[in-house]
Amino acid sequence: MNPLKSFSPCTLPISLNAEIGLAKAKAGCTVQLHFELFDPQRLVQNSFVPGKVSASKVQRVDGLWHSTCFEAFWGVPGSSAYWELNLSPNGQAWNLYSFSGYRDPQPPKACADFELVDLTIGENSLACSLRSALELVEIEGALTAVVKTTQEQIYFASHHAGA
């Protein structure tokens, strides 16, 4: 697991770790994600509701980043095209977008390249798998989160590009 860093100094006792992986499937591939949130004072709004979630019942919703939302961005090395996944930590909503270049097109359009097939939510964690018929051999990715607390909104990322 890799620690995510907050964009602004975070004075609250909250931290986040995440990882992304690619596995070959019989036909296509599977992208696997895992997020761990440490929130001992339970300050995070819209946080985890532990349990195994039926992926087929999780609704696709736009605008998840306006509340607590875990995000993953991945693409094929050397390509400007990429996918963006948004996940609500309570297991009720998700969405996937594809872009041909940085934030293009706008507004983003939902994409069906990957299907959410597994979603498990623990007391402090969320793990999911997305299956695709695409034959991806390698991906590069970045993991981020918007964490809304009772006091502020914190932006976490594996790295921040600057101000």
Side-chain angles (χ1 to χ4, degrees):
M1 296 288 280
N2 302 304
L4 301 186
K5 303 168 193 80
S6 62
F7 180 72
S8 299
C10 182
T11 58
L12 300 175
I14 295 173
S15 64
L16 192 60
N17 295 320
E19 65 185 351
I20 185 172
L22 177 68
K24 292 205 181 251
K26 288 182 183 178
C29 66
T30 302
V31 173
Q32 300 163 326
L33 298 153
H34 188 198
F35 291 88
E36 288 181 345
L37 174 69
F38 299 95
D39 177 24
Q41 296 179 4
R42 301 268 183 222
L43 301 171
V44 176
Q45 297 177 343
N46 189 35
S47 195
F48 299 120
V49 177
K52 179 86 169 158
V53 178
S54 173
S56 64
K57 295 190 180 192
V58 182
Q59 295 188 10
R60 293 187 75 152
V61 176
D62 287 318
L64 293 176
W65 52 86
H66 295 294
S67 185
T68 298
C69 171
F70 297 134
E71 302 174 326
F73 301 83
W74 70 89
V76 175
S79 172
S80 60
Y82 65 96
W83 293 273
E84 175 184 340
L85 172 72
N86 299 156
L87 285 167
S88 173
N90 63 17
Q92 295 179 0
W94 79 292
N95 218 336
L96 178 73
Y97 306 96
S98 65
F99 295 92
S100 58
Y102 181 71
R103 309 301 302 158
D104 181 35
Q106 283 298 318
K109 304 225 181 326
C111 161
D113 290 343
F114 290 82
E115 168 191 11
L116 183 64
V117 292
D118 183 55
L119 180 60
T120 304
I121 302 172
E123 189 67 31
N124 298 311
S125 65
L126 178 147
C128 77
S129 297
L130 297 110
R131 185 175 42 224
S132 177
L134 299 172
E135 298 282 345
L136 301 180
V137 176
E138 181 182 1
I139 60 171
E140 53 188 5
L143 301 167
T144 66
V146 176
V147 175
K148 191 169 189 173
T149 72
T150 54
Q151 300 172 21
E152 63 183 301
Q153 192 155 296
I154 308 163
Y155 300 93
F156 285 94
S158 44
H159 66 278
H160 295 279

